[in-house]
Amino acid sequence: MPAGRLTLPIETGIDEQILQVLARFKADAVRNSDGTELPALVSELATKVYSTYFPARGDQEWALGHPDSFVHQYLMSAPRTSLAEGPLEIDPMAGYFPHQFVADIDCDVTKYWQVIDRTTGETVAPSAWHVTRDLGEAKKLGVPKANLVDTADQGKYPAPAHISETRPPSVPLVPVRVIIENTQVGHEYTVNVLAKQIWDSTQMYNYVTNDWYKDPARHKELPYDAWRPEVWQHMQEGLDLWLAEHPEVDVVRFTTFFYHFTIAYDYAGREKFVEWFGYSASVSIEALQAFAAQYGYELTPEDFVDQGFYNNPFRSPSRRFLDWIDFLSAFVASRAKVLVDKAHAAGKEAMMFLGDNWIGTEPYGPHFADIGMDAVVGSVGSAATCRMISDIPGVRYTEGRFLPYFFPDVFCDEGDPVGEANESWRAARRAIMRSPLDRIGYGGYLSLALKYPRFMDRMEEIVAEFRGIHAASAGKRPVNSPVRVSILNAWGALRSWQTHMVSHAQYYRLTHPWIGVLEALAGLPFDVRFVSFDQILSDESVLEETDVLINVGAADTAFSGGSVWENPQLLTLLRAWVAGGGGFIGVGEPSAHKVHKPGASTHFFQMADVLGVDKELGQGLSSRRPQTALGNHYVLDGSEKAPGGKTRLELDQTAEDAKNVFAINEATQVLALNETGIRAAVNSYGKGHGVYLAGLPYSETNACVLYRAILWAAGFQARAAGAEDPLWYADDPRVEVAVYTGENGVKLCAYNNTEHDVTCTLHGSSQVEEIRLRGLEARWFDLHNP
């Protein structure tokens, strides 16, 4: 087996096994994990040593001695409706886990809390409500019984003992209530509360998942905020001391820097709200004051709470929230650079883990390069997340941490570690073939994985194949189609390869039809970039450098666009661009937004004229719309120049994709439909083309359909007629092909993306070759010199 390009987790107490594993896998780097320590023999190993480092947690003694330094998070109370005239009592922390959050009642609550009448949307004046610690005050004030908190419910739902048995002594539990005076009957009210976070989110996860509560030596770690001067001084001094005490460490793996993505647990210690891109745990009074001084206006609690949606990425971002992202990212970059420079001065590399406390370090943002990181490592849960890591600019190398984690939720009698390893590799390999990672690695408890020899055997095969890909491709990207593809949404490049993600790569039923577009593109032979609506409006050259635009998602989300489609300039720019020869592909409810202006278009899909389809909302049911699916078309039926051979491809779709879509005129070519509406259609528009797909959950077939839809939308099929296709392809969509050119000629890799044996024919230029691939097999061929 070739050596290197592999990082393995190690731990204390298994020295002999560590030596055997390193010899077997020829790893060139070792690491500890959150919850494990590096063994003493690490200094004897001929490998790089990574060590996790947590700038914003880990020094519990210091944190307990500085109780004013906690990270804060904005939370919205559960809505309460006033059912009787008079005051209303609200418990702002009801439903939240009391061992994760406590309300900050030491701040100026009239400024940093907020009460909103959700029926009217109006903020209730601070003079009309107050906060009390006296739980009997509401009765003393004569709050009607219907508007009182039901004290009988208190304590009904205790959290599991194993995650609530201890509490930091410096943070007493002080129940609070908000009493709103003179509420209106039938109106719903909420409280936006500034809360202290008294338990780190990742630690909570490990207590639940990895049984950390069984270890009496562990303690619950309190996070602290880098905005506080005393915290920042401690962070710098702490790193200096740590670097001096750990000469054996070669790579400081910052996990990550200062602010955790949003996780709020409920009363039972379960995840209540999780948002991979959440900034609601990045607030502090110091930060809010600095923001106001720099931007000239003050943010309100509602700017973070956002009607209880917390500015999740499906929401079209407000200008105020985008300002906060930029402001916080600049702050994080400036302070992270100081820590990275310290690591460099100590002769060590600096690596950032793309997870945990990564908020403010978005790697495609304008400030990330200023930090000076050497590398980024992240968890590979899909092809899209693999591209999210491998495409990061401005670092010397990228590393993907493969699944499964060596954790007891998978490595147990009910788990399937080999199956999860195969699925992780299948998805990651598609992305690696298009954009190579420099390294791979694993995380967790090596002692646990060693109990599963079949998994260790399979891991050895995966590692060998990864190294083989890197050796054969020389770490270069393969030949791509000349068609240039851009994903169009409100976030643009900031969220490259991260659209429709909720909790990293976790499956979500409602996003399944949309995220498949990204998953398919991650392994297709196109140059892909991500552009925003604002970018197109401000720089028309974006369209000049694009052949196909893809707009995908549910109506009125940041991904489909929402109210941005009310801008006539955007519509006229895109229509003119398509008519001039561009391609526009819409998936789900593209450009969907109901415009409520007298005399405005009745379309729901604002690009309906380009796509040739629109969606019925129940107001045009009197119209007759006959439509029949075509028998043949390039997008779904093969040709000698398209993957899939000459057999018709059937879209793999789900019940969650768009319904009630109809053709707007006879010129629309319907490719697939059922009783709920059109599933696929194409439309010619001037010199350009529109393509509509109701949904595209990832499958090998759907990836092939998207490939062909892009070529057709770009007019590439017509341009290439009679000419040699620059790409090789397999006539079975389960097999994909990558071609690499270099000094030593041309190498081709054909790889089977399923666990079933496949016989197919490879086509390229005038050459044809029939091959048979075993399940998940990849095979390399030497071709003619370029």
Side-chain angles (χ1 to χ4, degrees):
M1 176 194 289
R5 301 193 181 278
L6 174 65
T7 306
L8 288 179
I10 59 175
E11 58 193 279
T12 58
I14 55 168
D15 286 8
E16 188 60 36
Q17 293 98 316
I18 288 172
L19 295 173
Q20 293 171 358
V21 169
L22 292 181
R24 176 182 177 183
F25 286 87
K26 298 181 172 61
D28 60 342
V30 295
R31 55 164 290 204
N32 62 340
S33 295
D34 189 3
T36 65
E37 298 294 334
L38 290 169
L41 91 161
V42 72
S43 58
E44 305 170 14
L45 303 176
T47 61
K48 269 189 176 182
V49 177
Y50 296 8
S51 184
T52 56
Y53 189 80
F54 306 91
R57 68 176 172 100
D59 191 335
Q60 188 73 353
E61 182 178 352
W62 187 90
L64 291 172
H66 296 79
D68 294 332
S69 301
F70 298 145
V71 169
H72 284 73
Q73 184 162 331
Y74 265 119
L75 303 172
M76 187 183 82
S77 71
R80 287 212 68 196
T81 302
S82 178
L83 300 179
E85 290 185 0
L88 173 72
E89 181 188 23
I90 294 180
D91 178 355
M93 302 305 295
Y96 291 105
F97 190 52
H99 292 262
Q100 184 188 16
F101 298 116
V102 294
D104 187 345
I105 53 178
D106 299 319
C107 68
D108 181 353
V109 295
T110 65
K111 183 178 180 64
Y112 297 108
W113 290 32
Q114 188 177 23
V115 176
I116 295 181
D117 181 336
R118 294 295 177 182
T119 303
T120 64
E122 297 176 351
T123 296
V124 178
S127 60
W129 56 270
H130 69 278
V131 178
T132 179
R133 305 183 191 186
D134 182 354
L135 300 189
E137 182 180 351
K139 288 186 177 180
K140 298 173 189 175
L141 291 175
V143 175
K145 185 175 182 181
N147 288 355
L148 284 172
V149 170
D150 187 354
T151 55
D153 286 339
Q154 304 302 309
K156 269 188 180 179
Y157 309 104
H162 67 268
I163 57 172
S164 63
E165 57 195 8
T166 62
R167 181 182 190 82
S170 62
V171 191
L173 176 60
V174 181
V176 298
R177 299 288 186 269
V178 173
I179 299 177
I180 310 169
E181 303 168 10
N182 301 318
T183 57
Q184 297 187 57
V185 177
H187 283 225
E188 190 176 56
Y189 296 85
T190 64
V191 178
N192 295 337
V193 57
L194 186 64
K196 297 177 181 179
Q197 186 170 343
I198 59 172
W199 194 2
D200 178 79
S201 303
T202 298
Q203 263 232 326
M204 285 194 68
Y205 170 83
N206 280 315
Y207 264 72
V208 174
T209 304
N210 295 320
D211 297 339
W212 281 14
Y213 68 92
K214 295 180 179 178
D215 184 351
R218 294 194 185 280
H219 50 252
K220 298 177 181 179
E221 295 182 353
L222 288 74
Y224 27 89
D225 192 343
W227 266 101
R228 303 281 297 198
E230 67 273 19
V231 174
W232 177 231
Q233 181 178 350
H234 177 71
M235 285 181 174
Q236 296 178 82
E237 293 173 351
L239 179 59
D240 287 336
L241 179 62
W242 185 88
L243 291 170
E245 292 177 344
H246 291 83
E248 77 283 0
V249 173
D250 303 294
V251 180
V252 183
R253 183 182 176 273
F254 289 101
T255 311
T256 303
F257 286 101
F258 310 130
Y259 301 106
H260 205 288
F261 62 90
T262 303
I263 301 181
Y265 290 84
D266 71 2
Y267 62 85
R270 302 168 303 194
E271 291 179 350
K272 179 183 179 72
F273 180 84
V274 180
E275 211 267 270
W276 175 248
F277 304 94
Y279 277 71
S280 60
S282 66
V283 294
S284 66
I285 292 173
E286 293 82 359
L288 291 171
Q289 291 171 341
F291 177 91
Q294 179 175 332
Y295 283 80
Y297 70 90
E298 293 185 343
L299 293 173
T300 69
E302 181 65 8
D303 288 322
F304 295 92
V305 166
D306 181 34
Q307 298 176 287
F309 292 106
Y310 299 101
N311 296 294
N312 73 72
F314 292 81
R315 301 275 282 177
S316 291
S318 67
R319 183 70 262 164
R320 296 164 77 90
F321 183 57
L322 290 174
D323 284 349
W324 177 259
I325 290 178
D326 192 66
F327 167 77
L328 188 80
S329 298
F331 167 78
V332 169
S334 66
R335 295 212 160 170
K337 176 176 171 50
V338 173
L339 302 186
V340 167
D341 287 348
K342 287 179 178 292
H344 288 162
K348 305 180 190 302
E349 294 180 8
M351 171 181 277
M352 184 189 91
F353 173 56
L354 189 57
D356 291 8
N357 294 56
W358 79 291
I359 294 304
T361 63
E362 298 200 50
Y364 294 94
H367 303 290
F368 178 75
D370 298 337
I371 300 174
M373 299 300 309
D374 296 291
V376 173
V377 59
S379 177
V380 176
S382 63
T385 55
C386 190
R387 287 295 295 268
M388 173 184 71
I389 300 164
S390 64
D391 281 10
I392 291 173
V395 293
R396 291 195 296 109
Y397 62 96
T398 57
E399 181 170 319
R401 189 186 57 204
F402 277 21
L403 299 179
Y405 272 75
F406 302 166
F407 279 177
D409 57 336
V410 175
F411 289 83
C412 60
D413 292 342
E414 297 78 24
D416 181 16
V418 173
E420 291 205 18
N422 284 338
E423 179 57 26
S424 177
W425 175 240
R426 180 204 63 76
R429 184 176 64 182
R430 291 187 64 247
I432 290 169
M433 287 293 188
R434 309 314 312 182
S435 177
L437 290 167
D438 297 295
R439 304 180 54 82
I440 62 174
Y442 291 85
Y445 308 112
L446 180 61
S447 58
L448 190 57
L450 289 172
K451 298 176 183 178
Y452 293 80
R454 285 187 58 247
F455 170 78
M456 299 298 289
D457 291 344
R458 181 57 184 138
M459 190 174 82
E460 185 175 17
E461 294 170 350
I462 289 170
V463 170
E465 188 174 351
F466 170 77
R467 288 170 172 152
I469 292 171
H470 215 282
S473 67
K476 306 298 183 183
R477 295 193 179 204
V479 177
N480 268 348
S481 164
V483 176
R484 300 162 299 178
V485 177
S486 294
I487 303 293
L488 174 64
N489 59 49
W491 293 106
L494 180 67
R495 300 283 163 81
S496 295
W497 296 110
Q498 298 165 88
T499 66
H500 292 98
M501 291 183 184
V502 181
S503 181
H504 201 35
Q506 296 297 312
Y507 169 81
Y508 277 80
R509 178 173 55 86
L510 292 177
T511 66
H512 193 51
W514 327 131
I515 202 169
V517 173
L518 218 61
E519 190 69 5
L521 281 173
L524 291 180
F526 299 109
D527 289 323
V528 179
R529 65 173 176 166
F530 295 75
V531 300
S532 69
F533 299 105
D534 288 344
Q535 194 176 354
I536 285 180
L537 289 168
S538 63
D539 182 4
E540 293 185 26
S541 68
V542 172
L543 293 176
E544 297 171 4
E545 299 167 357
T546 298
D547 296 302
V548 175
L549 274 176
I550 300 179
N551 183 237
V552 51
D556 285 315
T557 61
F559 302 121
S560 62
S563 61
V564 72
W565 293 103
E566 294 187 22
N567 188 334
Q569 182 188 358
L570 177 66
L571 289 168
T572 54
L573 276 173
L574 291 180
R575 286 167 176 162
W577 173 74
V578 177
F584 186 86
I585 296 178
V587 182
E589 294 176 320
S591 71
H593 178 69
K594 191 63 179 175
V595 179
H596 297 286
K597 291 181 181 179
S601 166
T602 59
H603 290 315
F604 184 51
F605 294 175
Q606 298 305 308
M607 292 285 283
D609 57 326
V610 172
L611 296 169
V613 300
D614 201 359
K615 183 171 182 175
E616 176 58 62
L617 300 181
Q619 299 179 29
L621 296 178
S622 57
S623 301
R624 184 172 180 269
R625 297 169 179 140
Q627 48 206 27
T628 305
L630 289 175
N632 296 285
H633 191 276
Y634 175 82
V635 171
L636 293 184
D637 292 279
S639 70
E640 291 182 357
K641 292 292 183 184
K646 296 183 178 180
T647 59
R648 179 175 173 83
L649 296 171
E650 296 295 334
L651 279 166
D652 294 322
Q653 294 177 316
T654 72
E656 300 300 331
D657 57 22
K659 302 178 177 64
N660 304 323
V661 174
F662 62 91
I664 63 172
N665 55 48
E666 298 291 341
T668 303
Q669 296 176 286
V670 179
L671 308 186
L673 77 166
N674 60 22
E675 66 279 0
T676 67
I678 291 175
R679 325 309 288 163
V682 296
N683 184 50
S684 295
Y685 191 84
K687 296 179 182 179
H689 302 91
V691 178
Y692 174 75
L693 299 169
L696 204 81
Y698 175 76
S699 71
E700 292 80 23
T701 298
N702 281 357
C704 186
V705 169
L706 182 62
Y707 174 81
R708 292 157 67 155
I710 290 171
L711 293 183
W712 186 84
F716 183 76
Q717 181 194 20
R719 292 203 302 268
E724 290 187 356
D725 192 323
L727 299 177
W728 280 72
Y729 62 88
D731 65 358
D732 189 308
R734 294 173 293 179
V735 174
E736 290 182 312
V737 178
V739 177
Y740 302 83
T741 62
E743 296 179 357
N744 298 322
V746 182
K747 291 183 180 293
L748 176 149
C749 185
Y751 40 102
N752 180 0
N753 290 319
T754 74
E755 297 190 42
H756 306 287
D757 292 354
V758 175
T759 299
C760 64
T761 302
L762 303 181
H763 299 262
S765 184
S766 59
Q767 302 181 55
V768 174
E769 181 161 354
E770 183 173 283
I771 62 171
R772 179 177 178 82
L773 296 174
R774 300 186 309 275
L776 295 177
E777 181 185 2
R779 191 177 306 168
W780 289 85
F781 301 85
D782 287 318
L783 303 179
H784 60 277
N785 289 323

